[in-house]
Amino acid sequence: MTSRPSLHKHRSSAVTDGVARAPHRAFLRATGFDDAAFTRSIIGIVSTQGENTPCSMSLGPQADRARLGVARGGGVPVSFSTISVSDGTSMNHAGMRMSLVSREVIADSVEVAVRAHAYDGLVAVAGCDKTLPGMMMAVARLNVPAVFLYGGATLPGRVRGQQATILTAIEAVGAVQTGSLSPEGLAEIERHCTPTVGSCPGQFTANTMAMVAETLGLSPLGTAMIPAVYSERLAIAERAGETVMHTLQRGWPLPRDLITRKSLENACAAVAATGGSTNAALHIPAIAHEAGIEFTLEDVASVFQRTPLIADLQPGGTYLARDLHEVGGVPAVLKSLLKSGHLHGDVPTLDGRTLQEALVEAPDADGTIVRSAEQALQPTGGVTVLRGNLSPEGALLKVAGLRALTFTGPARVFESEEDCMKAVSGRQYQEGDVLVIRNEGPRGGPGMREMLSVTAALYGQGMGEAVALLTDGRFSGATRGMCIGYAGPEAAVGGPIALVRNGDLIHIDATTGTLEMRVTDEELAARRQQWKPPQAQRLGGVLEKYALVVRPARLGAVTHSGAMAWPYEGEEA
């Protein structure tokens, strides 16, 4: 086991020690500190606890138990919170512009709090889509002893004897629009599909990023797939607090010891092997960026393309997070990948063991929910990167569960999500169309909205694979069908998607990784000469700042220049 000198009070002495810090100590005494507390490490406990989404409502008790673990390890826990944005209630309206932006706000706010108060370590607890990568980005940026904890997924409901989840409700909207489901049937699904607190239960963005955290080593192995309402999570949270204190004492491993090129490749393999959310291809490069590692969409793609799909999870498959937990959780997936040579086993974990050492005790693949590579559902991962004259910087397609991997059809162009949703709701499209939604990228949106309502409506109308959808925006982890997102460069900066016209023939081939519009180079050049950048609008507030600094999707849609040492470490007042 590697070790470094103890980091005990490495930072917090700047607040607690010396004559000049008497006012600081006075403030801390007002919070409940005593003389003994000033000699101990101070650990921040941050969560996105709130009542705006079921994803965050289980976090408070877990964060509180982490406090007990810190105290048992000899530290002083200090709780604080930050925001979350519910993708569930912000989708399909202007509020979705704030979803990806919230990832940056979360990372920035945690950095501000930890740096301002000179905390020695951190336990970060999150539960909704952007809160997970936001917290992991903050942990990597700060590089203090830290543990990340996921709050867990909801349990599924039952409607008329059938399992139901939030995806059931979303897709049922389309069924009502076609007349195949009554409004009363939709209301019944609405009332019963989400019976507990917790995040969406399939391998959507939250569970995907929880698996990423566990694979990177930022979370304890075997914890990600435990449902939010299981009391086991409280014990895990308490141990997380103790783990931070152990890390402080031995000085290792810090987040940037855990986040390496090898562990990032492992995280990509875990996503591909489970048919995880395409959003991971945006978030993993962003986490790498915070750790000082250039890891782009191309790097993600190379791992996706060499990793088999071995887990049968929704939305492309059958099973949920609870089911995966019951057969061994993330370690079962990782052990299967390690056996087949698709994983680096020589990376560290939180407790100091290598991943290979830690996985010895993990269950073998059960053969149904998790398979061996020899019995893979598909030979390559559940997410594929497409390139061509429509996406020179790449675009993403989740192939898990698709019946056909090629599609050719005429373009039907929409300048925004709302325009497309209106056409889909009114069934103003034809089977075989390629629906193109542009101006929804990181800068052009701004905010890179996800198109779940459109894709779910298509599925609900029975047209999920009868049409294709292409956008420079995002898709939800719950999206399924022939849906291609993150096309880059985006329309707002003159990417080829800005040049598509109604009727252009678009060819999609996931077997060769191709995305092309069958228009001559001469015609494209002529269109480019005619293209004019969209007129900039005055946005005000956070969207204005975001649009000015956000970088392309292939780089993770990050908003600053990347990792560096905190330049003011040890600076005297």
Side-chain angles (χ1 to χ4, degrees):
M1 180 184 296
T2 302
S3 64
R4 296 194 185 103
S6 172
L7 296 174
H8 171 62
K9 288 195 71 64
H10 178 62
R11 293 169 176 80
S12 63
S13 58
V15 174
T16 62
D17 293 4
V19 173
R21 298 301 186 255
H24 306 61
R25 291 191 295 271
F27 259 82
L28 291 172
R29 288 184 191 278
T31 71
F33 273 56
D34 59 14
D35 288 344
F38 293 127
T39 69
R40 297 174 183 162
S41 303
I42 303 177
I43 309 299
I45 313 286
V46 60
S47 78
T48 56
Q49 166 68 26
E51 297 181 348
N52 60 319
T53 169
C55 311
S56 294
M57 289 185 69
S58 69
L59 304 184
Q62 294 182 60
D64 198 51
R65 289 297 284 266
R67 288 168 49 86
L68 294 181
V70 168
R72 190 157 67 188
V76 181
V78 179
S79 294
F80 65 102
S81 60
T82 187
I83 67 156
S84 68
V85 167
S86 169
D87 280 17
T89 53
S90 64
M91 64 181 171
N92 195 28
H93 62 89
M96 178 49 72
R97 299 185 191 280
M98 297 298 181
S99 175
L100 186 58
V101 176
S102 75
R103 186 190 74 177
E104 314 307 308
V105 173
I106 290 164
D108 291 350
S109 67
V110 175
E111 179 198 6
V112 166
V114 172
R115 298 239 195 257
H117 302 109
Y119 294 145
D120 296 299
L122 187 68
V123 177
V125 191
C128 200
D129 288 10
K130 307 310 173 296
T131 67
L132 281 83
M135 289 289 197
M136 285 186 265
M137 289 163 66
V139 162
R141 187 185 305 177
L142 291 162
N143 203 35
V144 299
V147 176
F148 171 79
L149 286 178
Y150 174 46
T154 182
L155 296 176
R158 294 194 73 79
V159 177
R160 299 187 182 182
Q162 298 295 313
Q163 181 173 274
T165 70
I166 188 64
L167 182 59
T168 311
I170 295 168
E171 294 184 351
V173 172
V176 171
Q177 291 169 346
T178 63
S180 59
L181 179 69
S182 69
E184 293 75 20
L186 175 61
E188 186 176 4
I189 293 169
E190 173 192 328
R191 287 179 170 83
H192 299 291
C193 67
T194 51
T196 75
V197 297
S199 302
C200 298
Q203 193 65 341
F204 311 157
T205 302
N207 283 325
T208 298
M209 293 311 298
M211 184 173 285
V212 165
E214 199 170 312
T215 306
L216 287 173
L218 298 175
S219 296
L221 276 170
T223 61
M225 297 297 115
I226 301 171
V229 294
Y230 282 20
S231 297
E232 183 181 358
R233 284 203 161 274
L234 300 178
I236 290 166
E238 193 164 339
R239 289 197 299 272
E242 289 185 276
T243 297
V244 169
M245 297 308 300
H246 293 154
T247 304
L248 272 167
Q249 291 304 317
R250 64 178 181 246
W252 186 88
L254 298 180
R256 293 184 197 172
D257 297 319
L258 297 165
I259 301 170
T260 64
R261 180 160 292 276
K262 284 185 176 181
S263 72
L264 290 162
E265 289 182 353
N266 285 351
C268 295
V271 174
T274 58
S277 170
T278 53
N279 281 318
L282 194 69
H283 300 321
I284 291 174
I287 294 166
H289 182 73
E290 300 288 356
I293 301 169
E294 184 177 342
F295 197 87
T296 68
L297 182 63
E298 289 80 8
D299 297 304
V300 174
S302 66
V303 180
F304 283 176
Q305 289 162 357
R306 67 176 186 243
T307 307
L309 176 65
I310 61 170
D312 185 13
L313 301 175
Q314 289 189 23
T318 305
Y319 298 98
L320 302 175
R322 179 188 61 182
D323 304 314
L324 179 55
H325 167 59
E326 290 172 354
V327 298
V330 176
V333 175
L334 300 183
K335 187 173 185 179
S336 184
L337 290 173
L338 184 66
K339 283 184 174 181
S340 59
H342 292 95
L343 210 67
H344 302 289
D346 58 344
V347 297
T349 61
L350 265 176
D351 64 10
R353 293 178 294 174
T354 66
L355 184 59
Q356 183 168 351
E357 291 168 342
L359 291 177
V360 168
E361 59 200 45
D364 292 324
D366 70 304
T368 300
I369 299 172
V370 181
R371 303 185 178 200
S372 66
E374 293 75 21
Q375 301 296 320
L377 292 158
Q378 291 177 184
T380 59
V383 182
T384 294
V385 177
L386 307 177
R387 290 188 183 83
N389 66 358
L390 246 177
S391 59
E393 292 182 354
L396 295 175
L397 168 65
K398 181 184 285 191
V399 296
L402 283 181
R403 291 188 294 271
L405 297 179
T406 60
F407 193 101
T408 302
R412 178 81 186 280
V413 180
F414 301 93
E415 303 299 333
S416 69
E417 178 193 11
E418 285 84 358
D419 290 348
C420 185
M421 189 65 189
K422 187 181 298 182
V424 170
S425 297
R427 296 182 61 79
Q428 298 168 358
Y429 63 91
Q430 301 295 321
E431 182 174 338
D433 282 349
V434 179
L435 309 180
V436 178
I437 307 177
R438 60 191 177 198
N439 304 310
E440 295 288 1
R443 182 172 298 179
M448 205 176 192
R449 291 189 288 180
E450 66 181 31
M451 309 290 135
L452 176 59
S453 291
V454 175
T455 61
L458 289 169
Y459 234 95
Q461 291 173 5
M463 301 291 280
E465 295 188 37
V467 298
L469 196 150
L470 167 66
T471 181
D472 54 5
R474 295 185 297 114
F475 287 122
S476 165
T479 291
R480 55 179 175 158
M482 185 61 76
C483 300
I484 301 153
Y486 315 83
E490 62 174 294
V493 298
I497 193 171
L499 309 179
V500 181
R501 293 180 179 174
N502 285 326
D504 287 346
L505 202 63
I506 293 178
H507 176 65
I508 303 157
D509 189 338
T511 63
T512 60
T514 303
L515 176 61
E516 293 181 339
M517 55 176 160
R518 293 184 168 166
V519 175
T520 66
D521 292 343
E522 293 76 16
E523 172 63 17
L524 284 177
R527 291 183 189 181
R528 184 163 296 286
Q529 288 294 319
Q530 298 170 7
W531 180 80
K532 294 180 180 179
Q535 186 173 358
Q537 57 178 320
R538 185 175 180 274
L539 296 166
V542 68
L543 286 179
E544 183 172 294
K545 291 188 284 187
Y546 185 81
L548 287 172
V549 298
V550 68
R551 301 180 184 209
R554 64 177 290 271
L555 301 178
V558 294
T559 57
H560 68 98
S561 62
M564 62 178 293
W566 173 235
Y568 308 110
E569 189 77 44
E571 182 179 79
E572 294 297 327

